């Protein structure tokens, strides 16, 4: 049924007055947006394990919602995506596209392109030229085969096909490289520079294609060739004006909004947003697509300053999260896979995919080999440069809009873009192993000296000048006071110096600012420490640690790690390995505030901590912060309690307590829990047996290693004896007889408020007392039984808690357990990994 677009109303009067909201523009747009977001987000979740960029899910979502799948139901298509709604949906989506292309221009640094040298330029030139030539050949085949394409002018069709096959998607490529930790490797840097060259060339070719296309109506009035010339000249004039007049003006605006000023004036933000729209209008007026103007305007903004960061913060979440998916989905809605019917059409699809891949990969590979790049890296470069995405879809949509591409050709090219982008990540991962898989051991061997895997390794050397190296991680400014307070309490004043590596953990997202941060914060795929800048940080956390580093014997080296949460632990462990740190300090995923409120940074960060505990090359401390470092008491000294049950983890906690005792402003108390003797003079034996059926998330896990119980008790006594003899006056020692429920005594200490910080071992080789509670339901299993009860917000504990895990490869394997109590006793002398009973290699 034909619809007069001028008769469409914006909003309805409501169902009670007889109106169907789906017959009105705005409510229908809301429904379409919700549907598109729901489908695309669901697909993105499903494709996440394959490390596919979000654009794949958004295009496939549009195809599913369109005539290829759900749209086969004509009633659904007529109601949810009627033809009269298409211009409205595309107009809203085009606003998002306009601002996204502004962000692409904002993140594309022309100066870095100039610095990239002839190698990147040569690779980019080959990566464009050969596919473009191949595209011309494919264009002739399609014109003679696809019905209706022979009515389109040769020039415009050839240019559109050449551009479609030769483009590399710069934003999509950046996200793939960042996800694979290749962004700042030699391969990644070359690919990014070549893609940037490719991007600029693609925009020039796209402007040429649009200028040639005109209205593109087959059989329409003949257009003078001078029109295309005027369009191109006007476009060049626009670019010249933007670079010579607007760019200095935007540099002045950015200077007014630098970090020296307290806030960015809202007027400048509004002026810039209006500038994006005005630039788009001017290029549309010229006859080039509006997005070209937004892209060029983005190039005029100075890179790396507070103004550019503020613009990204204001724009990218709304644009990338809401409006841009509408554009990709609208491309899918226009793609009718059913138009590719018959063996000839599917043969054309195979031809286009093969030609696009072969042209891009072979062209890039050949030139990369000429520049003496190893064959495997050259092949990876070709695969990376074959990434399609945003600009590809823009070209195809403009071609369809100008009627240069009909439905069948459009569907073929959209599927080609999907396929080439989909195969990039898995293929690169298959043939090229990033540096991280083999770099740790090489990096560590390049350093002189014996690695210090745990705190005990330092005191065992008896070297007075031995340096304690720590890696402290944080999520944001809220972690700074507690971290500085903890480090200050460990800072040695008598024996050795402390070198502190501070790592700001940032989740890698789809945001443009996230990619820019990765480029600044990584070297060879990993976080690096920039010596030339004297440890300056490019974020708001720098000031506190710059001030703290002035305290004398603490050397502070900050860095930032930006990774997907699934691989964040690789960055942390890599830095710990290469910097030979003895202990990693991690922030707990929950932070407790003075008003008893709890801030949870997310389950994903808990997973990061769990993976670091499992893979760390050194000891690990997990800090549960309840206001440590907050100036709430008049007495500036810190009161620290070391809770000791026995075992390797508790001995590492004791070692840390010994270092804290060196500090004159730290009062250390060691509370040792001892077993209650039974009436018959014996003790109740507790056997822990592996229970693989139990969930490690909800149950504590213990080491499967076989250890000599008697030797462990001797080591415990020796560690306590050494601490007491060395720090007899500085350390207060107490013994507490364990009650029937050991958690009550520990929780009572935490509730009392007598201690600012309680240090406990994780207890992977628990004493008989801890084994008693080994099978209780865990709230935070990664903290161990004692750490968990102290960290729980249900027990009223007011002290901060530091849970220590000693590094020992023998304890790496852990499993949940089931407790077996033998009232007859007799388990005390067995070899065991768990308690007074048996586990690990001597399971009974």
């Amino acid at each position: 049924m034909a619809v007069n677009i001028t008769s469409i109303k914006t909003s309805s009067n409501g169902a009670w007055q007889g109106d169907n909201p789906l017959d009105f523009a705005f409510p229908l747009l809301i429904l379409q947006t919700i549907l598109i977001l729901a489908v695309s987000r669901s697909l993105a979740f499903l494709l996440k394990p394959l490390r596919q960029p979000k654009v794949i899910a958004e295009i496939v979502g549009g195809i599913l919602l369109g005539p290829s799948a759900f749209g086969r139901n004509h009633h659904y298509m007529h109601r949810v995506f009627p033809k009269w709604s298409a211009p409205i949906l595309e107009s809203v989506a085009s606003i998002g596209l306009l601002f996204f292309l502004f962000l692409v221009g904002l993140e594309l640094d022309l100066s870095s392109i100039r610095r990239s040298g002839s190698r990147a330029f040569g690779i980019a030139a080959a990566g464009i030229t050969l596919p473009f030539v191949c595209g011309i050949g494919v264009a002739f085949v399609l014109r003679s085969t696809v019905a209706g394409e022979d009515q389109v002018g040769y020039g415009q069709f050839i240019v559109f096909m050449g551009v479609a096959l030769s483009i590399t998607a710069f934003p999509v490529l950046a996200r793939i490289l960042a996800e694979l930790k290749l962004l700042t490797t030699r391969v990644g840097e070359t690919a990014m520079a070549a893609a940037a060259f490719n991007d600029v060339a693609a925009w020039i070719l796209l402007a040429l294609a649009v200028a040639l296309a005109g209205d593109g109506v087959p059989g329409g009035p003949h257009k003078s060739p001078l029109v295309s010339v005027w369009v191109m000249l006007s476009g060049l004039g626009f670019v010249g004006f933007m670079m010579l007049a607007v760019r200095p003006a935007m540099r002045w605006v950015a200077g007014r909004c630098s970090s020296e000023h307290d806030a960015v004036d809202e007027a400048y933000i509004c002026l810039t947003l209006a500038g994006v729209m005005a630039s788009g209008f001017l290029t549309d007026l010229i006859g080039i697509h509006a997005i070209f103007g937004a892209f060029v305007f983005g190039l005029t903004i100075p890179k790396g300053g507070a103004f550019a960061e503020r613009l990204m913060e204001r724009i990218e979440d709304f644009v990338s999260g809401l409006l841009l998916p509408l554009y990709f989905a609208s491309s899918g809605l226009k793609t009718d896979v059913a138009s590719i019917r018959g063996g000839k059409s599917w043969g054309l699809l195979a031809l286009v995919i093969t030609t696009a891949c072969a042209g891009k990969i072979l062209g890039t590979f050949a030139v990369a080999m000429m520049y003496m790049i190893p064959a495997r890296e050259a092949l990876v470069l070709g695969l990376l440069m074959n990434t399609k995405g945003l600009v590809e879809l823009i070209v195809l949509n403009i071609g369809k809009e100008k009627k240069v591409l009909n439905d069948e050709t459009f569907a073929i090219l959209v599927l080609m873009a999907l396929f080439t982008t989909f195969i990039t990540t898995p293929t690169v991962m298959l043939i090229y192993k990033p540096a991280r898989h083999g770099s740790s051991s090489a990096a560590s061997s390049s350093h002189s000296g014996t690695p210090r895997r745990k705190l005990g390794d330092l005191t065992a050397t008896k070297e007075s000048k031995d340096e304690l190296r720590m890696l402290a991680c944080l999520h944001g400014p809220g972690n700074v006071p507690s971290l500085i307070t903890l480090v200050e309490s460990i800072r040695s004043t008598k024996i050795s110096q402390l070198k502190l590596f501070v790592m700001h953990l940032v989740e890698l997202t789809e945001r443009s600012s996230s990619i820019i941060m990765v480029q600044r914060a990584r070297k060879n795929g990993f976080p690096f420490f920039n010596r030339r800048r004297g440890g300056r940080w490019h974020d708001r956390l720098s000031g506190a640690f710059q001030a703290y580093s002035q305290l004398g014997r603490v050397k502070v080296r900050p860095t930032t790690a930006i990774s997907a949460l699934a691989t964040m632990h690789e960055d942390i462990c890599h830095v710990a390995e290469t910097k030979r740190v003895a202990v990693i300090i991690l922030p707990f995923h929950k932070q407790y505030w003075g008003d008893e409120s709890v801030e949870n940074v997310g389950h994903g960060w808990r997973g990061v901590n769990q993976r670091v505990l499992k893979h760390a090359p050194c000891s690990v401390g997990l800090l549960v912060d309840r206001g440590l470092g907050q100036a709430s008491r008049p007495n500036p000294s810190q009161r620290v309690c070391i809770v000791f049950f026995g075992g390797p983890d508790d001995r590492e906690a004791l070692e840390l307590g010994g270092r804290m005792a060196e500090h004159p402003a730290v009062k250390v108390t060691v509370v040792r829990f001892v077993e209650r003797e039974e009436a018959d003079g014996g003790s109740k034996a507790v056997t822990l047996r592996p229970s693989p059926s139990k969930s490690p998330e909800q149950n504590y896990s213990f080491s499967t290693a076989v250890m000599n119980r008697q030797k462990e008790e001797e080591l415990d006594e020796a560690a306590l004896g050494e601490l007491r003899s060395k720090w007899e006056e500085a350390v207060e020692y107490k013994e507490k007889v364990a009650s029937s429920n050991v958690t009550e005594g520990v929780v009572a200490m935490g509730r009392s408020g007598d201690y600012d910080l309680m240090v406990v071992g994780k207890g992977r080789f628990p004493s008989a007392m801890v084994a008693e509670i080994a099978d209780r339901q865990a709230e935070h299993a990664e903290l161990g039984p004692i750490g968990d009860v102290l960290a729980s917000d249900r027990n009223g504990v007011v002290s901060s808690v530091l849970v220590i895990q000693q590094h020992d490869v023998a304890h790496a394997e852990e499993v949940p357990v089931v407790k077996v109590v033998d009232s007859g006793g007799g388990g005390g002398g067995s070899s065991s990994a768990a308690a007074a009973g048996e586990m690990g290699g001597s399971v009974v």
Side-chain angles (χ1 to χ4, degrees), residues 535-584:
R536 267 189 69 206
W537 249 353
H538 295 287
D539 59 35
R540 300 167 188 169
L541 304 178
S542 59
F545 287 97
Q546 285 176 354
Y548 181 61
S549 65
Q550 305 303 317
L551 288 174
R553 294 175 66 85
V554 179
K555 301 174 185 175
V556 179
R557 298 285 301 282
T559 189
T560 303
I562 302 103
S563 286
L565 294 185
T567 58
M568 180 73 75
H569 68 284
E570 294 178 5
D571 285 348
I572 298 170
C573 295
H574 172 82
V575 169
E577 180 84 22
T578 56
K579 298 303 178 183
R580 296 176 295 130
V581 303
V583 62
I584 301 169

Side-chain angles (χ1 to χ4, degrees), residues 602-619:
H603 187 78
W605 288 105
R606 182 188 179 191
V608 173
N609 290 344
Q610 291 170 336
R611 287 186 287 274
V612 173
L613 286 166
K614 183 176 181 180
H615 299 288
C618 60
S619 293

Side-chain angles (χ1 to χ4, degrees), residues 701-707 764-765 810-815 833-834 839-840:
S701 296
F702 299 95
S703 174
T704 58
V706 178
M707 299 182 74
R764 292 167 298 161
F765 178 49
H811 299 168
E813 291 297 323
E814 300 177 26
V815 293
M839 190 178 158

